[in-house]
Amino acid sequence: MEIESMQTTPSTQIVKIKTAYGTLDIGGPQFSVLAGPCSIESHDQFLETAKSVKSSGACMLRGGIWKMRTSSKTFQGLGESSFDFIKSVCKETNMGLVSEVTDARQIEEVFDVVDMFQVGSRNMHNYSLLKELGRQNKPVLLKRGFASLIDEWIKAAEYVTNGGNQNVILCERGIRTFETATRNTLDLNAVVYVKKNTHFPVIVDPSHAVGIRALVPDLAIAAAASGADGIIVEVHPRPKEALSDGPQALTFDDFKTMMNKIERVLTALDRPLQKATLV
Ligand code: PEP
Ligand code: MN
C-alpha cells in the first residue's frame, strides 16, 4: 500500500488531430465525442449523419470505408469509390474523419481522406500494420483487441510509437467475457488503469462494447464519469436500414438526448466538451 501511494501517475499526452478545419486536442482538459455511422453507405447517409451529430455536439466524424466483418458474405464497405463524396461531406460540414485501415496497403490510398487512422479490434495484433502506422505523421486510434490483455494493448501501441509516431489514442471497445447477454463487456477497469499507468489518451466505444442501442447512452455517460478523454459512438439516420451494426446505432434523437446528459456530467466534472473547430 505504501509503495502504491508513492507511485506517480504519468500525465496524459495531448494528441493533436490536425484537420483542414482546425486542430482537435485529445487527452487535454476537453472531452471529445466522435460520432458517425458504422459504415459509410452513401453520400446522403453520411452527410445527413454528419450534419446531425455536429449540431448535437460531436467534434469529429467516424465512418467505416473498409469493414472487418465476421462474415465475408456481409457488406464490406464502399472502399475507394467513396473517397470523393467523403471529402465533400467533410468539407461541407467542416469536420475531420477517423476511419479504419484494415491493411497497410490502404494507408497511402486513404491518406488524404482521413485525419486519423483507426486500427480495429481484430487488427490490434497486426504488427506489420502497426509498424507502418508508426512511420506516418497522422494520429492513430488503437482499439483494444476483444480478447487482449491491457498489457498487450499497451505493447501494441508501442509498435506505433517506436516507429516515431507518438500520436496514439487508445480505445476501449469491450472485451469478450463469459457473458453473452450483451455483445461484449465494457472494461472500465482498463480505462482507469491506462489513465493511471500510461501517458496515452483513452476513449471509449460504448457502441461495440454493449451492442444494444438502448444501453449505449448509459455506458457513454459512465465513460465520461470514469475520466475517459472521449467517446466514439455509432449513429445512423435509420438504424433498421443500416448495412452494418444497426442494432447498436443511435438515432439522431437518441444521440442528442445522450449528449445533453453527457454535458451535465462534464459540467459536474468541470470538463468542457470539445467543439468541432473552424479555421
Ligand atoms: C468499428 O468501429 O466499426 C469496428 C469494426 O470496431 P471494432 O474494431 O472495435 O470491432
Ligand atoms: Mn461497427
Side-chain angles (χ1 to χ4, degrees):
M1 288 303 145
E2 284 280 321
I3 293 170
E4 199 183 338
S5 66
M6 284 165 62
Q7 285 175 349
T8 52
T9 300
S11 55
T12 304
Q13 171 202 353
I14 296 179
V15 171
K16 293 198 170 292
I17 307 173
K18 298 195 176 98
T19 79
Y21 320 105
T23 300
L24 300 167
D25 281 354
I26 313 271
Q30 303 183 94
F31 185 84
S32 305
V33 177
L34 290 63
C38 175
S39 299
I40 295 174
E41 300 170 2
S42 69
H43 169 271
D44 291 0
Q45 172 248 19
F46 192 44
L47 179 62
E48 219 184 319
T49 311
K51 283 183 174 165
S52 180
V53 298
K54 184 177 183 183
S55 72
S56 296
C59 66
M60 188 171 185
L61 298 173
R62 63 145 288 144
I65 296 173
W66 292 282
K67 297 304 298 176
M68 294 285 283
R69 306 300 302 283
T70 303
S71 167
S72 61
K73 296 186 181 69
T74 55
F75 180 64
Q76 302 287 307
L78 293 178
E80 61 174 277
S81 67
S82 58
F83 288 1
D84 286 346
F85 82 70
I86 291 174
K87 283 191 210 165
S88 82
V89 167
C90 290
K91 198 165 174 195
E92 188 172 339
T93 56
N94 283 342
M95 297 276 273
L97 173 69
V98 57
S99 193
E100 179 174 353
V101 279
T102 59
D103 183 303
R105 287 167 291 192
Q106 293 161 356
I107 297 172
E108 209 183 319
E109 230 189 306
V110 81
F111 198 86
D112 293 332
V113 182
V114 301
D115 302 286
M116 172 158 69
F117 295 110
Q118 178 173 319
V119 176
S121 189
R122 290 158 189 79
N123 260 326
M124 190 207 85
H125 291 285
N126 183 342
Y127 300 123
S128 62
L129 177 63
L130 298 177
K131 282 187 200 166
E132 197 52 47
L133 289 168
R135 290 190 270 270
Q136 310 301 319
N137 60 356
K138 250 182 212 193
V140 174
L141 180 65
L142 178 62
K143 289 198 152 193
R144 180 181 179 187
F146 56 71
S148 301
L149 300 176
I150 296 171
D151 184 54
E152 292 167 326
W153 186 27
I154 296 167
K155 289 192 166 110
E158 287 164 358
Y159 269 95
V160 180
T161 56
N162 287 347
N165 185 354
Q166 302 304 319
N167 300 310
V168 177
I169 299 166
L170 299 177
C171 176
E172 161 60 34
R173 49 78 73 206
I175 52 171
R176 185 169 284 179
T177 65
F178 54 80
E179 184 55 71
T180 57
T182 53
R183 185 176 183 182
N184 290 290
T185 296
L186 177 60
D187 184 7
L188 285 181
N189 289 8
V191 175
V192 295
Y193 184 93
V194 295
K195 284 294 283 184
K196 272 259 183 296
N197 292 287
T198 79
H199 66 280
F200 296 113
V202 58
I203 70 170
V204 168
D205 173 348
S207 307
H208 293 87
V210 73
I212 302 166
R213 175 179 318 110
L215 306 184
V216 169
D218 286 343
L219 292 179
I221 290 162
S226 75
D229 296 298
I231 52 170
I232 180 165
V233 188
E234 289 186 346
V235 179
H236 195 284
R238 290 162 293 278
K240 282 202 177 86
E241 292 170 21
L243 298 180
S244 61
D245 286 348
Q248 69 195 30
L250 298 183
T251 64
F252 295 166
D253 280 351
D254 293 334
F255 182 71
K256 192 173 180 192
T257 307
M258 179 190 83
M259 290 299 287
N260 286 334
K261 291 184 183 165
I262 288 177
E263 289 204 62
R264 282 154 63 192
V265 172
L266 295 175
T267 303
L269 297 171
D270 213 8
R271 214 167 176 194
L273 179 70
Q274 177 152 235
K275 298 283 177 206
T277 45
L278 299 177
V279 208

PDB file of all heavy atoms in Angstrom, residues 37-39 62 64 67-68 100 118-122 143-144 146 173 183 205 208 232 234 245 248, ligand 1:
ATOM      1  N   PRO A  37     -21.683   6.953 -38.663  1.00  0.00           N
ATOM      2  CA  PRO A  37     -22.178   5.597 -38.916  1.00  0.00           C
ATOM      3  C   PRO A  37     -21.092   4.543 -38.760  1.00  0.00           C
ATOM      4  O   PRO A  37     -19.906   4.855 -38.848  1.00  0.00           O
ATOM      5  CB  PRO A  37     -22.632   5.674 -40.371  1.00  0.00           C
ATOM      6  CG  PRO A  37     -21.789   6.752 -40.983  1.00  0.00           C
ATOM      7  CD  PRO A  37     -21.527   7.750 -39.900  1.00  0.00           C
ATOM      8  N   CYS A  38     -21.516   3.312 -38.535  1.00  0.00           N
ATOM      9  CA  CYS A  38     -20.549   2.210 -38.539  1.00  0.00           C
ATOM     10  C   CYS A  38     -19.884   2.183 -39.908  1.00  0.00           C
ATOM     11  O   CYS A  38     -18.670   2.317 -40.018  1.00  0.00           O
ATOM     12  CB  CYS A  38     -21.261   0.882 -38.256  1.00  0.00           C
ATOM     13  SG  CYS A  38     -20.160  -0.538 -38.371  1.00  0.00           S
ATOM     14  N   SER A  39     -20.694   2.072 -40.966  1.00  0.00           N
ATOM     15  CA  SER A  39     -20.175   2.086 -42.342  1.00  0.00           C
ATOM     16  C   SER A  39     -20.685   3.321 -43.066  1.00  0.00           C
ATOM     17  O   SER A  39     -21.851   3.701 -42.910  1.00  0.00           O
ATOM     18  CB  SER A  39     -20.702   0.888 -43.138  1.00  0.00           C
ATOM     19  OG  SER A  39     -20.293  -0.315 -42.567  1.00  0.00           O
ATOM     20  N   ARG A  62     -16.823   9.714 -37.491  1.00  0.00           N
ATOM     21  CA  ARG A  62     -16.307   8.362 -37.693  1.00  0.00           C
ATOM     22  C   ARG A  62     -17.094   7.765 -38.860  1.00  0.00           C
ATOM     23  O   ARG A  62     -18.194   8.223 -39.181  1.00  0.00           O
ATOM     24  CB  ARG A  62     -16.455   7.481 -36.461  1.00  0.00           C
ATOM     25  CG  ARG A  62     -17.875   7.192 -36.001  1.00  0.00           C
ATOM     26  CD  ARG A  62     -18.031   5.761 -35.419  1.00  0.00           C
ATOM     27  NE  ARG A  62     -17.976   4.754 -36.482  1.00  0.00           N
ATOM     28  CZ  ARG A  62     -17.414   3.560 -36.342  1.00  0.00           C
ATOM     29  NH1 ARG A  62     -16.905   3.186 -35.200  1.00  0.00           N
ATOM     30  NH2 ARG A  62     -17.400   2.704 -37.370  1.00  0.00           N
ATOM     31  N   GLY A  64     -16.840   3.833 -41.386  1.00  0.00           N
ATOM     32  CA  GLY A  64     -16.017   2.777 -41.970  1.00  0.00           C
ATOM     33  C   GLY A  64     -16.026   2.828 -43.495  1.00  0.00           C
ATOM     34  O   GLY A  64     -17.077   2.980 -44.120  1.00  0.00           O
ATOM     35  N   LYS A  67     -14.617  -2.545 -44.118  1.00  0.00           N
ATOM     36  CA  LYS A  67     -15.147  -3.132 -42.883  1.00  0.00           C
ATOM     37  C   LYS A  67     -14.554  -4.509 -42.625  1.00  0.00           C
ATOM     38  O   LYS A  67     -14.397  -5.317 -43.533  1.00  0.00           O
ATOM     39  CB  LYS A  67     -16.671  -3.266 -42.980  1.00  0.00           C
ATOM     40  CG  LYS A  67     -17.416  -1.944 -43.117  1.00  0.00           C
ATOM     41  CD  LYS A  67     -17.108  -0.953 -42.001  1.00  0.00           C
ATOM     42  CE  LYS A  67     -17.519  -1.454 -40.630  1.00  0.00           C
ATOM     43  NZ  LYS A  67     -17.120  -0.497 -39.571  1.00  0.00           N
ATOM     44  N   MET A  68     -14.226  -4.750 -41.369  1.00  0.00           N
ATOM     45  CA  MET A  68     -13.734  -6.072 -40.943  1.00  0.00           C
ATOM     46  C   MET A  68     -14.948  -6.839 -40.422  1.00  0.00           C
ATOM     47  O   MET A  68     -15.248  -6.783 -39.230  1.00  0.00           O
ATOM     48  CB  MET A  68     -12.722  -5.922 -39.808  1.00  0.00           C
ATOM     49  CG  MET A  68     -11.435  -5.244 -40.172  1.00  0.00           C
ATOM     50  SD  MET A  68     -10.336  -6.291 -41.109  1.00  0.00           S
ATOM     51  CE  MET A  68      -9.687  -7.351 -39.833  1.00  0.00           C
ATOM     52  N   GLU A 100     -11.086   3.352 -40.344  1.00  0.00           N
ATOM     53  CA  GLU A 100     -10.193   2.198 -40.131  1.00  0.00           C
ATOM     54  C   GLU A 100      -9.434   1.806 -41.396  1.00  0.00           C
ATOM     55  O   GLU A 100     -10.012   1.744 -42.480  1.00  0.00           O
ATOM     56  CB  GLU A 100     -11.054   1.017 -39.647  1.00  0.00           C
ATOM     57  CG  GLU A 100     -10.243  -0.238 -39.408  1.00  0.00           C
ATOM     58  CD  GLU A 100     -11.044  -1.383 -38.785  1.00  0.00           C
ATOM     59  OE1 GLU A 100     -12.218  -1.178 -38.399  1.00  0.00           O
ATOM     60  OE2 GLU A 100     -10.483  -2.482 -38.694  1.00  0.00           O
ATOM     61  N   GLN A 118      -7.769   4.575 -37.855  1.00  0.00           N
ATOM     62  CA  GLN A 118      -8.255   3.668 -36.805  1.00  0.00           C
ATOM     63  C   GLN A 118      -7.694   2.272 -37.056  1.00  0.00           C
ATOM     64  O   GLN A 118      -7.690   1.797 -38.192  1.00  0.00           O
ATOM     65  CB  GLN A 118      -9.786   3.641 -36.848  1.00  0.00           C
ATOM     66  CG  GLN A 118     -10.422   2.697 -35.844  1.00  0.00           C
ATOM     67  CD  GLN A 118     -11.955   2.860 -35.827  1.00  0.00           C
ATOM     68  OE1 GLN A 118     -12.467   3.980 -35.894  1.00  0.00           O
ATOM     69  NE2 GLN A 118     -12.671   1.762 -35.748  1.00  0.00           N
ATOM     70  N   VAL A 119      -7.224   1.633 -35.970  1.00  0.00           N
ATOM     71  CA  VAL A 119      -6.882   0.212 -36.037  1.00  0.00           C
ATOM     72  C   VAL A 119      -7.987  -0.515 -35.297  1.00  0.00           C
ATOM     73  O   VAL A 119      -8.270  -0.220 -34.131  1.00  0.00           O
ATOM     74  CB  VAL A 119      -5.511  -0.081 -35.374  1.00  0.00           C
ATOM     75  CG1 VAL A 119      -5.222  -1.581 -35.358  1.00  0.00           C
ATOM     76  CG2 VAL A 119      -4.397   0.665 -36.091  1.00  0.00           C
ATOM     77  N   GLY A 120      -8.633  -1.440 -35.973  1.00  0.00           N
ATOM     78  CA  GLY A 120      -9.777  -2.129 -35.378  1.00  0.00           C
ATOM     79  C   GLY A 120      -9.346  -3.210 -34.403  1.00  0.00           C
ATOM     80  O   GLY A 120      -8.181  -3.627 -34.366  1.00  0.00           O
ATOM     81  N   SER A 121     -10.331  -3.638 -33.636  1.00  0.00           N
ATOM     82  CA  SER A 121     -10.091  -4.650 -32.614  1.00  0.00           C
ATOM     83  C   SER A 121      -9.423  -5.912 -33.179  1.00  0.00           C
ATOM     84  O   SER A 121      -8.503  -6.476 -32.587  1.00  0.00           O
ATOM     85  CB  SER A 121     -11.454  -5.007 -32.015  1.00  0.00           C
ATOM     86  OG  SER A 121     -11.309  -5.814 -30.902  1.00  0.00           O
ATOM     87  N   ARG A 122      -9.895  -6.303 -34.374  1.00  0.00           N
ATOM     88  CA  ARG A 122      -9.372  -7.534 -34.971  1.00  0.00           C
ATOM     89  C   ARG A 122      -7.948  -7.381 -35.481  1.00  0.00           C
ATOM     90  O   ARG A 122      -7.306  -8.361 -35.819  1.00  0.00           O
ATOM     91  CB  ARG A 122     -10.306  -7.998 -36.100  1.00  0.00           C
ATOM     92  CG  ARG A 122     -11.637  -8.511 -35.572  1.00  0.00           C
ATOM     93  CD  ARG A 122     -12.725  -8.472 -36.640  1.00  0.00           C
ATOM     94  NE  ARG A 122     -14.032  -8.775 -36.051  1.00  0.00           N
ATOM     95  CZ  ARG A 122     -14.768  -7.904 -35.368  1.00  0.00           C
ATOM     96  NH1 ARG A 122     -14.334  -6.669 -35.169  1.00  0.00           N
ATOM     97  NH2 ARG A 122     -15.930  -8.253 -34.861  1.00  0.00           N
ATOM     98  N   LYS A 143      -7.768   0.526 -31.243  1.00  0.00           N
ATOM     99  CA  LYS A 143      -8.793  -0.174 -30.471  1.00  0.00           C
ATOM    100  C   LYS A 143      -8.174  -1.386 -29.778  1.00  0.00           C
ATOM    101  O   LYS A 143      -7.235  -1.999 -30.284  1.00  0.00           O
ATOM    102  CB  LYS A 143      -9.913  -0.596 -31.405  1.00  0.00           C
ATOM    103  CG  LYS A 143     -10.740   0.589 -31.882  1.00  0.00           C
ATOM    104  CD  LYS A 143     -12.042   0.110 -32.413  1.00  0.00           C
ATOM    105  CE  LYS A 143     -13.115   1.156 -32.274  1.00  0.00           C
ATOM    106  NZ  LYS A 143     -14.433   0.572 -32.519  1.00  0.00           N
ATOM    107  N   ARG A 144      -8.750  -1.714 -28.640  1.00  0.00           N
ATOM    108  CA  ARG A 144      -8.255  -2.872 -27.909  1.00  0.00           C
ATOM    109  C   ARG A 144      -8.793  -4.154 -28.552  1.00  0.00           C
ATOM    110  O   ARG A 144      -9.991  -4.235 -28.874  1.00  0.00           O
ATOM    111  CB  ARG A 144      -8.749  -2.791 -26.461  1.00  0.00           C
ATOM    112  CG  ARG A 144      -8.290  -3.947 -25.600  1.00  0.00           C
ATOM    113  CD  ARG A 144      -8.840  -3.791 -24.198  1.00  0.00           C
ATOM    114  NE  ARG A 144      -8.455  -4.881 -23.347  1.00  0.00           N
ATOM    115  CZ  ARG A 144      -8.911  -5.060 -22.114  1.00  0.00           C
ATOM    116  NH1 ARG A 144      -9.777  -4.176 -21.610  1.00  0.00           N
ATOM    117  NH2 ARG A 144      -8.527  -6.078 -21.387  1.00  0.00           N
ATOM    118  N   PHE A 146     -10.485  -7.607 -28.763  1.00  0.00           N
ATOM    119  CA  PHE A 146     -11.571  -8.022 -27.851  1.00  0.00           C
ATOM    120  C   PHE A 146     -11.169  -9.167 -26.933  1.00  0.00           C
ATOM    121  O   PHE A 146     -11.879  -9.476 -25.985  1.00  0.00           O
ATOM    122  CB  PHE A 146     -12.870  -8.313 -28.606  1.00  0.00           C
ATOM    123  CG  PHE A 146     -12.769  -9.331 -29.705  1.00  0.00           C
ATOM    124  CD1 PHE A 146     -12.595 -10.670 -29.436  1.00  0.00           C
ATOM    125  CD2 PHE A 146     -12.860  -8.919 -31.032  1.00  0.00           C
ATOM    126  CE1 PHE A 146     -12.501 -11.594 -30.461  1.00  0.00           C
ATOM    127  CE2 PHE A 146     -12.768  -9.840 -32.063  1.00  0.00           C
ATOM    128  CZ  PHE A 146     -12.586 -11.188 -31.778  1.00  0.00           C
ATOM    129  N   ARG A 173     -13.131  -0.851 -26.319  1.00  0.00           N
ATOM    130  CA  ARG A 173     -14.366  -1.107 -27.073  1.00  0.00           C
ATOM    131  C   ARG A 173     -15.056  -2.396 -26.633  1.00  0.00           C
ATOM    132  O   ARG A 173     -15.858  -2.961 -27.355  1.00  0.00           O
ATOM    133  CB  ARG A 173     -14.066  -1.127 -28.575  1.00  0.00           C
ATOM    134  CG  ARG A 173     -12.908  -1.962 -28.994  1.00  0.00           C
ATOM    135  CD  ARG A 173     -13.160  -3.451 -29.047  1.00  0.00           C
ATOM    136  NE  ARG A 173     -13.996  -3.828 -30.178  1.00  0.00           N
ATOM    137  CZ  ARG A 173     -14.768  -4.906 -30.203  1.00  0.00           C
ATOM    138  NH1 ARG A 173     -14.802  -5.741 -29.159  1.00  0.00           N
ATOM    139  NH2 ARG A 173     -15.490  -5.198 -31.266  1.00  0.00           N
ATOM    140  N   ARG A 183     -23.181  -7.728 -26.327  1.00  0.00           N
ATOM    141  CA  ARG A 183     -22.236  -8.124 -27.385  1.00  0.00           C
ATOM    142  C   ARG A 183     -20.835  -8.366 -26.820  1.00  0.00           C
ATOM    143  O   ARG A 183     -20.148  -9.303 -27.172  1.00  0.00           O
ATOM    144  CB  ARG A 183     -22.216  -7.026 -28.455  1.00  0.00           C
ATOM    145  CG  ARG A 183     -21.375  -7.368 -29.654  1.00  0.00           C
ATOM    146  CD  ARG A 183     -21.465  -6.306 -30.744  1.00  0.00           C
ATOM    147  NE  ARG A 183     -20.701  -6.719 -31.906  1.00  0.00           N
ATOM    148  CZ  ARG A 183     -20.547  -5.996 -33.009  1.00  0.00           C
ATOM    149  NH1 ARG A 183     -21.108  -4.812 -33.113  1.00  0.00           N
ATOM    150  NH2 ARG A 183     -19.838  -6.441 -34.012  1.00  0.00           N
ATOM    151  N   ASP A 205     -15.557   3.242 -26.685  1.00  0.00           N
ATOM    152  CA  ASP A 205     -16.555   2.957 -27.714  1.00  0.00           C
ATOM    153  C   ASP A 205     -17.676   2.145 -27.065  1.00  0.00           C
ATOM    154  O   ASP A 205     -17.601   0.924 -26.952  1.00  0.00           O
ATOM    155  CB  ASP A 205     -15.887   2.166 -28.843  1.00  0.00           C
ATOM    156  CG  ASP A 205     -16.875   1.675 -29.896  1.00  0.00           C
ATOM    157  OD1 ASP A 205     -18.100   1.743 -29.667  1.00  0.00           O
ATOM    158  OD2 ASP A 205     -16.416   1.206 -30.946  1.00  0.00           O
ATOM    159  N   HIS A 208     -19.792  -0.708 -29.666  1.00  0.00           N
ATOM    160  CA  HIS A 208     -19.347  -2.102 -29.826  1.00  0.00           C
ATOM    161  C   HIS A 208     -19.263  -2.817 -28.485  1.00  0.00           C
ATOM    162  O   HIS A 208     -19.359  -4.035 -28.421  1.00  0.00           O
ATOM    163  CB  HIS A 208     -18.012  -2.156 -30.570  1.00  0.00           C
ATOM    164  CG  HIS A 208     -18.132  -1.698 -31.992  1.00  0.00           C
ATOM    165  ND1 HIS A 208     -18.021  -0.374 -32.345  1.00  0.00           N
ATOM    166  CD2 HIS A 208     -18.433  -2.364 -33.134  1.00  0.00           C
ATOM    167  CE1 HIS A 208     -18.227  -0.257 -33.653  1.00  0.00           C
ATOM    168  NE2 HIS A 208     -18.478  -1.446 -34.154  1.00  0.00           N
ATOM    169  N   ILE A 232     -16.385   7.334 -28.805  1.00  0.00           N
ATOM    170  CA  ILE A 232     -16.652   7.207 -30.242  1.00  0.00           C
ATOM    171  C   ILE A 232     -17.922   6.377 -30.361  1.00  0.00           C
ATOM    172  O   ILE A 232     -17.999   5.273 -29.806  1.00  0.00           O
ATOM    173  CB  ILE A 232     -15.437   6.628 -31.003  1.00  0.00           C
ATOM    174  CG1 ILE A 232     -15.732   6.495 -32.498  1.00  0.00           C
ATOM    175  CG2 ILE A 232     -14.946   5.312 -30.422  1.00  0.00           C
ATOM    176  CD1 ILE A 232     -14.468   6.269 -33.357  1.00  0.00           C
ATOM    177  N   GLU A 234     -21.575   5.106 -32.581  1.00  0.00           N
ATOM    178  CA  GLU A 234     -22.225   4.871 -33.874  1.00  0.00           C
ATOM    179  C   GLU A 234     -23.635   5.470 -33.903  1.00  0.00           C
ATOM    180  O   GLU A 234     -24.448   5.236 -32.991  1.00  0.00           O
ATOM    181  CB  GLU A 234     -22.260   3.375 -34.188  1.00  0.00           C
ATOM    182  CG  GLU A 234     -20.860   2.869 -34.503  1.00  0.00           C
ATOM    183  CD  GLU A 234     -20.772   1.441 -34.963  1.00  0.00           C
ATOM    184  OE1 GLU A 234     -21.748   0.683 -34.825  1.00  0.00           O
ATOM    185  OE2 GLU A 234     -19.689   1.060 -35.441  1.00  0.00           O
ATOM    186  N   ASP A 245     -24.057  -3.152 -38.158  1.00  0.00           N
ATOM    187  CA  ASP A 245     -24.236  -2.725 -36.755  1.00  0.00           C
ATOM    188  C   ASP A 245     -25.475  -1.862 -36.479  1.00  0.00           C
ATOM    189  O   ASP A 245     -25.455  -1.018 -35.570  1.00  0.00           O
ATOM    190  CB  ASP A 245     -22.968  -2.014 -36.254  1.00  0.00           C
ATOM    191  CG  ASP A 245     -21.833  -3.005 -35.993  1.00  0.00           C
ATOM    192  OD1 ASP A 245     -22.086  -4.231 -35.975  1.00  0.00           O
ATOM    193  OD2 ASP A 245     -20.686  -2.557 -35.809  1.00  0.00           O
ATOM    194  N   GLN A 248     -26.981  -1.490 -32.785  1.00  0.00           N
ATOM    195  CA  GLN A 248     -26.304  -0.663 -31.771  1.00  0.00           C
ATOM    196  C   GLN A 248     -26.249   0.817 -32.176  1.00  0.00           C
ATOM    197  O   GLN A 248     -25.730   1.644 -31.422  1.00  0.00           O
ATOM    198  CB  GLN A 248     -24.901  -1.192 -31.497  1.00  0.00           C
ATOM    199  CG  GLN A 248     -23.914  -1.009 -32.649  1.00  0.00           C
ATOM    200  CD  GLN A 248     -22.675  -1.855 -32.495  1.00  0.00           C
ATOM    201  OE1 GLN A 248     -22.703  -2.933 -31.907  1.00  0.00           O
ATOM    202  NE2 GLN A 248     -21.548  -1.382 -32.991  1.00  0.00           N
TER     203      GLN A 248
HETATM  204  C1  PEP B   1     -15.969  -0.215 -35.937  1.00  0.00           C
HETATM  205  O1  PEP B   1     -15.509   0.754 -35.314  1.00  0.00           O
HETATM  206  O2  PEP B   1     -16.934  -0.121 -36.721  1.00  0.00           O
HETATM  207  C2  PEP B   1     -15.408  -1.538 -35.638  1.00  0.00           C
HETATM  208  C3  PEP B   1     -15.413  -2.503 -36.540  1.00  0.00           C
HETATM  209  O3  PEP B   1     -14.958  -1.652 -34.389  1.00  0.00           O
HETATM  210  P1  PEP B   1     -14.104  -2.815 -33.683  1.00  0.00           P
HETATM  211  O4  PEP B   1     -12.833  -2.913 -34.460  1.00  0.00           O
HETATM  212  O5  PEP B   1     -13.930  -2.296 -32.303  1.00  0.00           O
HETATM  213  O6  PEP B   1     -14.937  -4.067 -33.748  1.00  0.00           O
END
